[in-house]
């Protein structure tokens, strides 16, 4: 222990004496710890646990009862009432208020509410929102919401909305596709997304809105106001009747976790095995970055350590001193990084805002995870000092005291062992591609990186013979890198790892967009502008046609119709036989629209004279071969807003089968005359602007939208823009961060190389080398490190992205064929790998050049006279 204390004292004193080198190591270790701590703290703050959600789930109530409308018993999670582990498949009518009061117990007051999802109109179409029907003026329910402006609804035509809806007090909100007008009388702060609710909320009185939402489910919920706690026994009694209960008392004192009759699996945050694997990868990055810094610092301390050895210090004690450097610097950097990380997270949370000023919950520091991060940071410092410690024990003491360079060669790596480890990593990645396991993916990436660490010194040595044909500065830089392989190889691998991260994220982002494009199936061809509405009168359509003709002069409009019954109810013509193997019709239009040759060309995606001739002859053109038998197609005509289970009418039409070239949004096209000749009236539902004729700009769509929607609230204008890739914008910060890390790794490695070769630079100056030559040598060192690490890293990132794409391909193949509606199987995108070669080439060439330029500009060129000892 005395030797350990002495080594720690020496390390602490050396850290203060060499402040620049120590600061560099502190930054290399502390920055990753800071970033990880800030990320985990922010995530812990944004992800609310059940107790933190009580403010929005219960308000001032003691419990929240949800009627599942299932015949009991059901089994629920104690802390997340919506998580059911056992449930019955038999449904029943909703329970009455008296039955809920019996469950709540004597003296309890119950307040009924309804929660469901519906739509409201915006300028560019419809948006989903959570509709909450209850009397928000009740003190029990009022505390669930933070009122920003106005008041809560008091009449049936009034609503309050969350602030993200963007409709101020006094304006009219059109709700549901029927365009029901509601006056906004209040604006509330949106609930945090992690609270389990859609942030777009509409609050209204009971029975005023959800009854108009067709096809959207909604459930009865009851807030329980009582002075007595709602116990777990009461919860289990409610479960017997098909009710779930979120109880404040149960959250405060949850039941035991187990498999018994009265036990339940509660919410318990746990540490996933993937998180330690990710941490292991980050530790490896820190070791690769900090290892060369320890090696350079060790060479600066050669004389000091040689004096200790000359006075009787053993090799073990020299190792202990160097490892103590790693312990002191690693622990100090980790603690400092963790403290600063919590502070950075606190600043981000303060800027983002906590509810009700923002979307985040109470500030929460995951102390256990932060402790693990600090331990891993300390471990990374120790690991980074191991190799320099072994080198210190092997020094020639006499040469070190004389100031001569250690002439022994650096180890040439372990190419055979490294190849074996890299192959194991490849096997793990192959298994990850086939199984979709994230832990196998991370383990494979880690093993592959370790294998390259072992192989890299051998690879660096192989480039030595190539230096003879290079200009003098580059030749000196390459030979210096080959001679100091113990410093160059880890620096190259560190740059390679950062470039691999950048390459993987870029390829994953582009592949995700390409996959979305391949899988996307919209109701219209991409680029189409549609004016649509099923409940628009003919007079309104005439006005809308005039507005469109004035706004879009020369732009032909394609018309689509639907049949209506004797009562004027719109019908949905659909094929009676529509099942087909590998069907390419996804029925976005719910059957066969009615129209002419222009609509057929639009839906079919090409010009087909034979199909147009059949349509003109009064025959339906059907894209599903199973739907045509003996030259006829049998269509069912269910009402679009069916309120009964009555058998829909049927009609037989002469039909012609036409094979589609690509995915079609409808089962075919029927002529208008085929229905009018059978006594049906037709109604216009769509006016389409064909993108092959004219593709409207967003400004033109907005200019068309206002006047059209001013005619009637039952019409909408929408532009088909393809898949929404806004979610991938979250990758942009990671792409920028990866690029900055690659730059930082390159510059750090170059700075270390320049510091370690300062004696050689002084020798060059003594021989008459100009400052320009010395700058060129430093620039060559940067070009060598980045030129080796960046291209290899980009290729490695491409390989990792390929594994991720293979995992997704396997996942999509596992989707059952009958998962999608209408018998259509959503397309299997297969293996999608989109490589942005322009970005790859720009980074592979530009980053080494940028590193060389920056290193050359900031290189020290001042001559310093050094004492030489022969």
């Amino acid at each position: 222990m005395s030797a350990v204390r002495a080594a720690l004292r020496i390390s602490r004193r050396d850290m203060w004496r060499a402040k620049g080198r120590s600061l560099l190591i502190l930054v290399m270790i502390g920055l990753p710890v800071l970033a990880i701590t800030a990320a985990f703290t922010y995530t812990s703050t944004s992800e609310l646990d059940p107790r933190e959600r009580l403010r929005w789930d219960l308000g001032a109530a003691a419990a929240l009862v949800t009627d599942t409308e299932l015949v009991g018993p059901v089994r629920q999670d104690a802390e997340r009432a919506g998580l059911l582990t056992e449930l019955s498949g038999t449904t029943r009518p909703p329970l009455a208020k008296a039955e809920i009061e019996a469950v709540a117990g004597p003296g309890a007051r119950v307040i009924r509410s309804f929660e469901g999802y519906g739509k409201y109109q915006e300028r560019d179409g419809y948006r989903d929102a959570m509709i909450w029907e209850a009397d928000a003026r009740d003190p029990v329910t009022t505390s669930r919401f933070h009122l920003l402006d106005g008041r809560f609804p008091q009449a049936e035509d009034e609503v309050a909305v969350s602030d993200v809806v963007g409709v101020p007090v006094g304006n009219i909100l059109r709700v549901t596709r029927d365009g029901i007008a509601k006056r906004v009388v209040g604006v509330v702060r949106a609930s945090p997304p992690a609270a389990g609710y859609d942030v777009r909320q509409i609050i209204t009185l009971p029975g005023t809105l959800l009854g108009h939402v067709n096809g959207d489910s909604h459930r009865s919920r009851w807030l329980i106001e009582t002075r007595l706690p709602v116990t777990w026994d009461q919860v289990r009694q409610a479960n017997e009747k098909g009710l779930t209960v979120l109880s404040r008392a149960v959250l405060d004192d949850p039941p035991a976790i187990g498999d018994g009759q009265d036990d339940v699996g509660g919410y318990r945050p746990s540490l996933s095995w993937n998180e330690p694997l990710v941490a292991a990868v980050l530790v490896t990055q820190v070791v690769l970055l900090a290892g060369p810094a320890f090696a350079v610092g060790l060479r600066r301390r050669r004389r000091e350590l040689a004096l200790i050895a000359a006075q009787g210090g053993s090799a073990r004690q020299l190792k202990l001193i160097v490892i103590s450097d790693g312990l002191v610097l690693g622990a100090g950097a980790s603690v400092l990084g963790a403290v600063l990380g919590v502070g950075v997270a606190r600043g981000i949370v303060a800027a983002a805002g906590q509810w009700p000023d923002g979307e985040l919950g109470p500030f929460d520091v995951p102390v256990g995870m932060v402790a693990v991060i600090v331990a891993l940071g300390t471990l990374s410092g120790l690991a980074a000092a191991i190799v320099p410690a072994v080198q210190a024990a092997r020094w020639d003491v006499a040469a070190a005291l004389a100031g001569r360079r250690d002439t022994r060669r650096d180890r040439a790596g372990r190419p055979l062992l490294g190849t074996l480890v890299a192959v194991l990593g490849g096997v793990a990645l192959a298994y990850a591609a086939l199984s979709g396991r994230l832990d196998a993916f991370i383990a494979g990436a880690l093993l592959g990186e370790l294998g390259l660490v072992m192989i890299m010194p051998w690879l660096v040595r192989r480039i030595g013979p190539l230096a003879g044909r290079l200009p003098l500065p580059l030749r000196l830089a390459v030979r210096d890198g080959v001679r100091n392989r113990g410093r160059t190889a880890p620096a190259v691998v560190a740059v390679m790892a950062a470039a691999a991260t950048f390459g993987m994220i870029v390829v994953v982002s582009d592949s995700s967009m390409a996959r979305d494009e391949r899988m996307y199936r919209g109701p219209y061809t991409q680029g189409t502008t549609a004016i649509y509405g099923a409940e628009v009168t003919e007079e309104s359509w005439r006005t809308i046609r005039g507005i469109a003709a004035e706004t879009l002069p020369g732009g032909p409009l394609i018309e689509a119709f639907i049949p209506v019954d004797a009562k004027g109810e719109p019908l949905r013509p659909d094929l009676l036989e529509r099942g087909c193997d590998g069907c390419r019709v996804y029925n976005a239009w719910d059957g066969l629209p009615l129209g002419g040759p222009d609509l057929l060309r639009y839906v079919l995606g090409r010009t087909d004279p034979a199909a147009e001739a059949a349509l003109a002859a009064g025959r339906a053109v059907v894209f599903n071969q199973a739907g045509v038998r003996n030259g006829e197609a049998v269509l069912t005509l269910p009402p679009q807003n069916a309120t009964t289970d009555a058998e829909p009418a049927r009609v037989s039409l002469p039909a012609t089968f036409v094979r589609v070239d690509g995915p079609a949004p409808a089962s075919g096209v029927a002529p208008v005359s085929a229905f009018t000749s059978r006594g049906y009236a037709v109604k216009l539902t769509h006016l389409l602007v064909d993108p092959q004729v004219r593709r409207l700009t967003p400004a033109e769509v907005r200019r068309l939208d206002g006047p059209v929607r001013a005619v009637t609230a039952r019409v909408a204008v929408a532009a088909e823009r393809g898949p929404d890739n806004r979610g991938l914008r979250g990758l942009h910060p990671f792409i920028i961060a990866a690029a900055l890390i690659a730059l930082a790794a390159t510059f750090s490695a170059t700075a270390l190389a320049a510091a370690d070769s300062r004696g050689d630079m002084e020798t060059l100056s003594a021989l008459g080398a100009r400052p320009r030559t010395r700058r060129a040598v430093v620039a060559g060192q940067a070009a060598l490190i980045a030129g080796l690490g960046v291209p290899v890293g980009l290729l490695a990132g491409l390989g990792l992205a390929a594994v991720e794409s293979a995992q997704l391909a396997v996942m999509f193949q596992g989707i059952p064929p009958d998962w999608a509606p209408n018998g259509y199987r959503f397309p299997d995108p297969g293996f999608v790998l989109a490589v942005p070669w322009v970005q790859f080439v720009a980074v592979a060439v530009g980053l080494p050049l940028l590193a060389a330029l920056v290193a050359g500009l900031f290189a020290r060129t001042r001559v310093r006279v050094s004492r030489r000892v022969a």
Side-chain angles (χ1 to χ4, degrees), residues 521-526 528 558-561 584-608 611-612 615 621-624 658-670 686 688-692:
R521 299 290 181 263
Y524 314 109
T525 304
Q526 188 166 337
T528 301
I558 302 173
E559 296 181 341
F561 300 84
R584 309 188 76 184
V585 177
Y586 54 94
N587 290 332
W589 282 30
D590 290 331
L592 279 74
L594 312 184
D598 53 353
L599 179 63
L600 177 62
R601 286 191 295 269
Y602 173 80
V603 176
L604 190 58
R606 70 175 191 273
T607 300
D608 190 325
E612 293 179 16
L615 188 70
V621 177
V622 178
F623 306 148
N624 188 340
V658 174
R659 191 176 302 278
V660 293
D661 295 332
S667 300
V669 176
H686 286 77
L688 306 174
V689 181
D690 191 343
Q692 296 183 358

Side-chain angles (χ1 to χ4, degrees), residues 707-797:
V708 166
R709 292 187 55 187
V711 176
T712 173
R714 296 182 180 272
V715 73
V717 179
E720 180 58 65
R721 304 297 184 189
D724 185 3
N725 293 311
R726 287 178 296 179
L728 295 175
R729 295 176 183 174
L731 291 176
H732 294 170
F734 293 98
I735 294 175
I736 297 173
L740 293 176
I741 290 173
L743 278 172
T746 302
F747 295 150
S748 299
T750 303
L752 291 172
D756 194 38
S757 60
R758 191 171 300 167
D760 296 335
M761 295 297 102
E762 294 169 358
T763 301
L764 283 177
S765 299
L767 293 174
R770 292 173 294 181
R772 184 175 60 187
T773 303
R774 298 195 296 275
R775 291 184 185 275
V777 172
V778 175
Q781 292 174 331
L784 172 66
I785 294 171
L788 288 176
V790 172
V792 177
L794 292 176
L795 293 177

Side-chain angles (χ1 to χ4, degrees), residues 351-661:
Q354 295 174 269
W355 199 91
D357 297 324
E359 296 184 355
L360 301 178
F363 184 68
D364 186 11
V365 179
V367 179
M369 195 60 205
V370 171
V372 172
I373 295 171
V374 171
L376 289 174
T378 304
L379 178 63
S380 66
L382 286 171
I386 289 177
V387 174
V390 174
Q391 294 175 348
R394 296 175 179 175
W395 270 344
D396 185 344
V397 177
L401 290 174
R404 296 193 299 269
R405 178 185 292 272
D406 192 350
T407 57
R408 291 177 300 175
R409 297 179 180 178
D410 286 336
R411 184 183 295 274
R414 299 182 183 273
L416 295 179
L417 180 59
T419 302
L420 177 61
V421 173
V423 169
L424 290 177
V427 172
L429 289 174
Y431 173 70
L434 297 176
S435 64
R437 292 180 61 93
L438 179 61
D439 51 0
F441 176 81
I442 298 175
L446 181 60
L447 288 174
E449 190 174 24
L450 292 177
L452 285 175
V453 171
M454 299 177 186
I455 298 172
M456 192 56 68
W458 179 84
L459 293 177
V460 171
R461 186 179 181 183
R462 299 279 77 79
I463 68 173
L466 303 177
R469 298 183 179 181
L470 297 176
L472 176 62
L474 292 179
R475 186 161 68 245
L476 292 175
V478 171
R479 289 179 174 174
D480 175 75
V482 172
R483 186 170 64 250
N484 298 282
R485 292 187 298 274
R487 178 195 68 213
T488 305
V492 171
V493 175
V495 174
M496 180 202 70
T501 304
F502 170 81
M504 183 183 71
I505 296 177
V506 170
V507 175
V508 165
S509 175
D510 282 30
S511 299
S512 296
M513 288 189 288
R515 188 178 300 105
D516 290 344
E517 291 282 351
R518 185 176 297 186
M519 293 185 62
Y520 180 74
R521 299 290 181 263
Y524 314 109
T525 304
Q526 188 166 337
T528 301
T529 299
I531 307 172
Y532 62 95
E535 302 294 335
V536 182
T537 63
E538 182 59 34
E539 181 181 355
S540 297
W541 276 122
R542 283 195 296 268
T543 306
I544 292 171
R545 283 193 186 96
I547 294 172
E550 181 181 351
T551 307
L552 309 172
L557 298 176
I558 302 173
E559 296 181 341
F561 300 84
I562 58 171
V564 295
D565 60 14
K567 298 179 180 179
E569 292 293 331
L571 305 175
R572 186 180 70 245
D574 203 358
L575 290 173
L576 180 64
E577 300 290 340
R578 58 184 181 182
C580 60
D581 186 17
C583 186
R584 309 188 76 184
V585 177
Y586 54 94
N587 290 332
W589 282 30
D590 290 331
L592 279 74
L594 312 184
D598 53 353
L599 179 63
L600 177 62
R601 286 191 295 269
Y602 173 80
V603 176
L604 190 58
R606 70 175 191 273
T607 300
D608 190 325
E612 293 179 16
L615 188 70
R619 301 179 66 86
V621 177
V622 178
F623 306 148
N624 188 340
Q625 190 170 11
V628 180
R629 294 186 178 181
N630 301 322
E632 286 191 344
V634 179
L635 303 181
T636 62
L637 299 175
Q640 288 195 351
N641 300 322
T643 58
T644 66
D645 296 331
E647 187 71 19
R650 295 186 182 183
V651 62
S652 296
L653 302 179
T656 299
F657 166 70
V658 174
R659 191 176 302 278
V660 293
D661 295 332

Side-chain angles (χ1 to χ4, degrees), residues 27-80:
V27 170
M28 287 181 173
I29 299 175
L31 273 180
V33 173
L34 185 152
I36 301 171
T37 302
F40 273 103
T41 303
Y42 180 83
T43 302
S44 180
T45 300
S46 60
E47 294 180 353
L48 305 181
D49 62 40
R51 293 172 183 79
E52 292 173 335
R53 291 205 303 264
L54 283 177
R55 171 65 175 80
W56 302 277
D57 290 338
L58 298 183
L64 174 67
V65 177
T66 301
D67 189 354
T68 66
E69 298 184 11
L70 296 173
V71 175
V74 298
R75 193 181 185 195
Q76 69 166 77
D77 186 285
E79 300 183 3
R80 292 175 295 179

